[in-house]
């Protein structure tokens, strides 16, 4: 089974800031990490490869420093890494991002399954996975909390809903956006990190993808951020419970029951 895992480099949770002038995320000079949701996609890919064999390609679009998350993914167990890096990609919205990623998946070739995280903790749209499926014309499922292969042409997944789970059979090739409940990601071992340093990272630009530059970057993006604003603070009464931990917990439970929250 040939699996592509899409991973994104994001600012560390405490570091997300928006430039008030450009209304874009400030990425320069802030700590960057692998999007936490993407570990679950990586873990599932490794588990599938352990079960049925195959190869894992990890893919990201970002600046050259995004190679860091590819190295981490290689340490995690991915076999190959591709970085999409070109100034022409800069400013892409989710549609343009998923267009470029879809072209890369086509270029990798003969892919059976694409795994994404549920959402990126900076952009937060959860649109890129479904966007990739749209560009490729492949079936897709979001909120995937369990995966089992039926055969080499179909996969069974359960999708997490507000009030339960959907069981679906999906024809391959397909795109899945995974949730935390899917698995417990492993911690890469030292041998994995050493292997990761030795493996090549392939870099493709817009021309390598055969991309139509009219569909890339800010100008190729059908959406624009018009304004951003902080979420309003919730108003409400605050009460300090200054007792022992057990008494405080008992009091909080009592209050929650009175509020009908339990
Ligand atoms: C209207 C709009 C305008 C924007 N304008 C700008 C802008 O001007 N400048 C700018 O820097 N950003 C801009 N962005 C943000 C940019 O579009 C997003 O960073 C990017 O498209 C990914 O979207 P997301 O972060 O919401 O990812 P989500 O859709 O929440 O991510 C879901 C999953 O998709 C995969 N994924 C997401 N992004 C990537 C990636 N780059 N590589 C590989 N896999 C990925 C990961 O598996 C991730 O878990 C804009 C976003 C919007 C909605």
């Amino acid at each position: 089974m040939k699996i592509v895992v899409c991973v994104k480099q994001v600012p560390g949770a405490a570091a997300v800031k928006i430039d008030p002038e450009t209304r874009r995320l400030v990425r320069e000079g802030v700590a960057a990490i692998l999007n936490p949701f993407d570990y679950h996609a990586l873990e599932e890919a490794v588990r599938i490869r352990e079960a049925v064999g195959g190869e894992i390609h990890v893919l990201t679009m970002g600046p050259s420093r995004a190679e860091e998350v590819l190295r981490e993914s290689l340490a995690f167990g991915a076999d190959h890494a591709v970085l999409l890096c070109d100034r022409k990609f800069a400013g892409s919205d989710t549609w343009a991002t998923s267009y470029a990623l879809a072209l890369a998946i086509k270029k990798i070739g003969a892919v059976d399954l694409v795994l994404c995280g549920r959402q990126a903790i900076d952009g937060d749209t959860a649109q890129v996975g479904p966007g990739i499926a749209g560009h490729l014309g492949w079936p897709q499922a979001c909120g995937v909390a369990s995966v089992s292969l039926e055969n080499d042409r179909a996969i069974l997944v359960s999708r997490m809903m507000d009030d339960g789970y959907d069981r679906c059979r999906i024809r391959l090739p397909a795109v899945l956006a995974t949730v935390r409940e899917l698995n417990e990601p492993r911690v890469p071992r030292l041998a994995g990190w050493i292997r990761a340093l030795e493996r090549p990272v392939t870099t493709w630009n817009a021309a390598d993808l055969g991309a139509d530059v009219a569909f890339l970057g800010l100008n190729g993006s059908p959406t624009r951020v018009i304004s951003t604003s902080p979420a309003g603070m919730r108003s409400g009464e605050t009460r300090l419970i200054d007792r022992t931990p057990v008494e405080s917990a008992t009091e909080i439970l009592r209050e929650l029951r009175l509020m009908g929250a339990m």
Side-chain angles (χ1 to χ4, degrees):
M1 167 136 319
K2 198 165 179 181
I3 305 170
V4 171
V5 182
C6 295
V7 297
K8 187 181 181 194
Q9 190 177 47
V10 295
V16 179
K17 289 199 185 90
I18 294 182
D19 184 317
E21 297 284 314
T22 63
R23 295 188 289 274
R24 290 165 64 171
L25 285 171
V26 179
R27 297 175 198 273
E28 294 75 27
V30 296
I33 58 170
L34 198 156
N35 179 42
F37 288 109
D38 300 348
Y39 287 104
H40 301 275
L42 271 172
E43 174 65 34
E44 202 59 24
V46 175
R47 289 186 190 193
I48 293 171
R49 188 190 55 196
E50 284 168 353
V52 299
E55 56 187 77
I56 301 168
H57 296 245
V58 65
L59 171 65
T60 196
M61 181 175 116
S64 53
R65 74 183 285 203
E67 186 179 324
E68 294 161 8
V69 295
L70 294 178
R71 295 262 168 230
E72 186 174 349
S73 306
L74 289 167
F76 208 90
D79 302 294
H80 306 280
V82 178
L83 170 64
L84 305 186
C85 191
D86 192 323
R87 292 186 72 83
K88 295 191 176 74
F89 298 138
S92 292
D93 69 0
T94 54
W95 189 90
T97 301
S98 41
Y99 167 66
L101 293 172
L103 288 178
I105 291 160
K106 276 192 202 155
K107 190 172 164 74
I108 290 168
V111 172
D112 300 295
L113 185 64
V114 176
L115 295 173
C116 294
R118 172 188 156 166
Q119 67 194 77
I121 61 165
D122 56 350
D124 258 344
T125 65
Q127 291 174 1
V128 169
I132 293 169
H135 285 294
L136 292 171
W138 291 1
Q140 54 102 10
C142 292
V144 170
S146 82
V147 175
S148 60
L149 290 180
E150 189 172 64
N151 51 48
D152 58 357
R153 298 181 55 198
I155 198 161
L156 297 169
V157 304
S158 61
R159 297 187 305 146
M160 204 168 79
M161 316 298 281
D162 282 345
D163 53 354
Y165 293 88
D166 273 353
R167 285 281 283 162
C168 309
R169 175 180 293 109
I170 301 177
R171 180 172 40 81
L172 295 174
V175 181
L176 307 180
T178 58
V179 291
R180 279 199 175 120
E181 289 72 8
L182 177 60
N183 55 41
E184 186 67 38
R186 68 197 66 193
V187 177
R189 300 203 171 158
L190 182 60
W193 284 106
I194 293 168
R195 196 180 71 114
L197 291 173
E198 290 164 353
R199 296 206 70 108
V201 169
T202 304
T203 303
W204 287 336
N205 60 24
D208 294 325
L209 296 180
D212 184 338
V213 290
F215 296 148
L216 294 175
L218 205 54
N219 290 336
S221 294
T223 52
R224 287 277 186 284
V225 177
I226 298 166
S227 68
T228 57
S229 55
M233 295 292 286
R234 285 194 189 170
S235 58
E237 192 191 329
T238 307
R239 193 156 69 82
L240 180 68
I241 304 171
D242 188 13
R243 302 202 204 140
T244 68
V246 172
E247 286 170 354
S248 301
T250 309
E251 179 63 12
I252 290 167
L253 279 174
R254 196 183 69 81
E255 291 279 342
L256 287 172
R257 286 204 183 97
L258 281 175
M259 287 160 56
M262 291 186 68

